[in-house]
Amino acid sequence: MKIKYLFNILLSFLLLYSCGKQVEGTRAKNGAQRNRSESRTPVDLDQFILKQKLVCEDVLFCPDNVAKIIVAQGTNIHTCTGTLVGKRKLITSASCLPSSLRIPNLDCRKNIFAIFPEDAYGGEFKTGCQRVMYVDNNSIQEAPLWKSGIAILELDRDVPRKISGITSQGAQDNEKLETWKVKYDSDFVSVLTRDECQFIHNTYLNPFSQGVYSPMMVATSCDYDELGMGAPIMKGNNIVAIYSQEMSHRTYSYLQNGKLVSGDIDRYYHMTNTSCSPGVRQLITFKKHNPNCSLWTTIQELDQRRSNLFKGKAVHLSSMEKLKKELGNNNKYFAWNFDFAPDETLLKYDVRMVRPSCIYRSNDWIGEYRRWRSIRTYAWVSIPVPHYQFSIKLDSFLRPISILDNIGTKYFQVEFNPFNAYVNKDTFVTIKSNLFGKLDVLNFNHITGDCL
């Protein structure tokens, strides 16, 4: 009995452990990567820093001024990326610092350390942080509402490495730029690697990002892990943007659960446009400060702009015009015309028969309505067409695209006067159909002519 009892306890433990690992793995796939840089602060922090290394993936092609930043606070320690922008000035993401360190002029000598890589011409260089010169303490969770998301640290001594400049404007739409990032290899060793980011404007993630002077921008394809937070995006030796934060788990889940994206959801990153950042402007005076860098935005406007991406006809116009021509080729009784009508929310558009152009070849069909020498004065016909509906989803860049669905056959009941159509070349037409669950009735007078 005792052995059986112990066996049951062991089995329960294994099941719980297995479930825990499965849940953890599931979370890691959903959005941002799990932070492998998080660990407990070692007993001897000095020895821990001494063991830290940053190695170049390619020693012949590696910037010597991109650093691995170690941040120790309380019992936790984590790692991110920074870039030298002055002899003692290091720029990174504000998200690299815990809230307790996001205080301007804070003494950071016991909390923040920088390790610069070995390169083909010399050994590594380690130094500490003197103070937090500047930091964006964004209280709003939604990164598109930020004006900036960076921190600038003053180091405790000059660093004998090259200094990066700052570009005077951000990235163009669809522009691909180089990024350098710290990646995890082991608890003590990280690797400085090169990758490429593609910038995308006018996205669901940040509909305010519309040009090179938008303060916060969006990029994809960068493949950052948590150590890449603060990585520079470069043009030559000049910084265009700083990786500030990945799209949140909440937004990933909303897009996925709502099936709002056509295809797979990629990973997307919020980037601070360094030319717009107030902190950067303390370092460099640009010849001209663009007012778009400082536009005021609200959470209500963000929600409205995101909602509006799924509404309206503009994204469908090209496809709609092609279908109108296709549907108008099947003429009998009248030369049919079609359009697409919205539902009450403007989220969907349904095919709709509208005013006919003219009476179509009445000699071909008038026999259906003759009775001896007379012609009927009332008739109705059922016209079947493919039941096309348009809606909007997001593409892999989180921009709106037109989605066309054929959900079966739609029937239009058409009423008219065959006698007047044939003899007088002038008749009324009434068109009835089901439009989003409601009876739709359109009345037209004086449909004339006999188009051949």
Side-chain angles (χ1 to χ4, degrees):
M1 180 64 72
K2 186 175 181 180
I3 293 175
K4 184 177 180 181
Y5 175 75
L6 291 173
F7 175 79
N8 287 335
I9 292 177
L10 178 61
L11 181 60
S12 298
F13 172 79
L14 290 173
L15 286 172
L16 287 170
Y17 178 78
S18 174
C19 290
K21 294 294 285 183
Q22 185 178 7
V23 169
E24 181 185 48
T26 301
R27 288 172 180 167
K29 292 178 183 178
N30 183 18
Q33 299 295 299
R34 185 173 67 89
N35 189 353
R36 292 176 295 186
S37 68
E38 293 285 358
S39 62
R40 306 288 291 182
T41 301
V43 175
D44 191 336
L45 183 59
D46 291 338
Q47 285 298 314
F48 179 80
I49 298 299
L50 284 174
K51 293 179 181 179
Q52 292 295 313
K53 286 189 174 295
L54 178 61
V55 298
C56 292
E57 187 175 52
D58 182 352
V59 295
L60 297 178
F61 186 62
C62 182
D64 64 359
N65 65 337
V66 178
K68 172 182 181 179
I69 300 176
I70 304 293
V71 181
Q73 178 67 6
T75 60
N76 294 319
I77 188 167
H78 68 268
T79 308
C80 45
T81 304
T83 309
L84 203 65
V85 289
K87 290 183 178 180
R88 296 192 180 195
K89 295 172 183 175
L90 194 69
I91 190 170
T92 185
S93 167
S95 300
C96 178
L97 307 184
S99 56
S100 57
L101 296 181
R102 294 182 197 173
I103 303 173
N105 295 313
L106 181 74
D107 186 329
C108 52
R109 286 175 291 183
K110 295 181 179 180
N111 304 103
I112 304 175
F113 307 87
I115 296 97
F116 291 86
E118 294 182 4
D119 58 20
Y121 308 103
E124 67 178 15
F125 187 88
K126 295 179 181 179
T127 186
C129 176
Q130 184 75 21
R131 68 184 178 101
V132 178
M133 292 183 64
Y134 173 89
V135 63
D136 291 304
N137 197 358
N138 292 302
S139 58
I140 304 172
Q141 289 186 346
E142 291 284 0
L145 302 179
W146 299 352
K147 300 307 174 193
S148 176
I150 66 164
I152 299 175
L153 309 175
E154 181 182 356
L155 303 177
D156 62 8
R157 54 180 170 149
D158 291 352
V159 179
R161 302 293 174 94
K162 68 181 179 183
I163 296 170
S164 285
I166 306 289
T167 59
S168 59
Q169 64 180 34
Q172 302 280 351
D173 189 24
N174 297 318
E175 187 173 9
K176 294 181 179 180
L177 295 173
E178 178 181 79
T179 185
W180 289 93
K181 59 194 180 183
V182 175
K183 295 201 75 171
Y184 180 90
D185 186 71
S186 71
D187 288 345
F188 297 107
V189 179
S190 301
V191 182
L192 185 57
T193 64
R194 179 191 177 277
D195 215 317
E196 192 174 68
C197 293
Q198 182 171 359
F199 282 78
I200 44 178
H201 297 176
N202 299 298
T203 67
Y204 174 89
L205 183 57
N206 187 355
F208 299 123
S209 178
Q210 299 182 347
V212 295
Y213 293 110
S214 299
M216 297 298 298
M217 312 186 86
V218 175
T220 188
S221 305
C222 312
D223 192 28
Y224 293 120
D225 64 16
E226 286 296 318
L227 284 73
M229 188 76 69
I233 296 83
M234 311 286 287
K235 277 186 179 179
N237 188 44
N238 295 317
I239 299 173
V240 176
I242 295 294
Y243 166 38
S244 296
Q245 191 178 84
E246 186 168 357
M247 184 169 79
S248 68
H249 288 289
R250 182 171 60 86
T251 305
Y252 272 103
S253 298
Y254 177 74
L255 294 174
Q256 189 170 34
N257 295 337
K259 298 180 180 179
L260 301 179
V261 178
S262 178
D264 295 331
I265 300 178
D266 206 336
R267 296 177 63 199
Y268 310 92
Y269 309 94
H270 295 286
M271 303 288 190
T272 293
N273 181 351
T274 45
S275 69
C276 283
S277 171
V280 171
R281 291 203 301 271
Q282 292 180 11
L283 295 174
I284 299 172
T285 302
F286 295 117
K287 293 181 179 178
K288 182 179 180 181
H289 174 64
N290 192 287
N292 289 329
C293 286
S294 305
L295 290 178
W296 179 255
T297 53
T298 65
I299 187 66
Q300 291 79 13
E301 187 178 359
L302 175 62
D303 290 342
Q304 187 64 56
R305 289 201 181 196
R306 285 177 170 175
S307 175
N308 288 344
L309 289 176
F310 296 94
K311 297 179 181 180
K313 211 172 186 177
V315 71
H316 305 302
L317 287 178
S318 175
S319 298
M320 284 180 175
E321 289 302 316
K322 291 179 182 179
L323 285 180
K324 287 179 189 179
K325 292 179 181 179
E326 174 190 314
L327 294 168
N329 289 331
N330 300 317
N331 293 321
K332 186 179 180 181
Y333 309 108
F334 298 91
W336 306 114
N337 289 315
F338 293 87
D339 203 349
F340 292 87
D343 65 1
E344 294 178 351
T345 65
L346 304 181
L347 295 176
K348 288 188 176 183
Y349 285 79
D350 199 357
V351 63
R352 190 187 207 187
M353 184 181 283
V354 293
R355 182 184 179 92
S357 298
C358 53
I359 302 164
Y360 188 77
R361 294 183 178 180
S362 58
N363 283 330
D364 293 347
W365 52 262
I366 194 61
E368 300 175 26
Y369 303 104
R370 287 185 184 275
R371 294 295 181 267
W372 300 101
R373 293 184 178 182
S374 64
I375 300 174
R376 292 168 57 182
T377 58
Y378 171 81
W380 68 268
V381 293
S382 181
I383 307 297
V385 301
H387 195 168
Y388 292 126
Q389 279 191 350
F390 282 95
S391 60
I392 294 176
K393 287 194 174 184
L394 303 175
D395 64 10
S396 60
F397 289 157
L398 302 186
R399 293 190 279 213
I401 56 171
S402 177
I403 300 296
L404 173 64
D405 291 312
N406 185 343
I407 61 176
T409 302
K410 184 169 182 175
Y411 293 90
F412 293 90
Q413 180 177 310
V414 181
E415 303 172 5
F416 64 102
N417 186 325
F419 178 86
N420 282 343
Y422 179 69
V423 176
N424 299 321
K425 308 302 181 187
D426 187 332
T427 180
F428 77 91
V429 170
T430 296
I431 302 173
K432 298 179 181 179
S433 66
N434 185 305
L435 186 65
F436 298 111
K438 297 180 179 180
L439 177 63
D440 182 49
V441 181
L442 298 176
N443 294 303
F444 304 104
N445 291 317
H446 302 300
I447 306 302
T448 60
D450 196 346
C451 43
L452 301 176

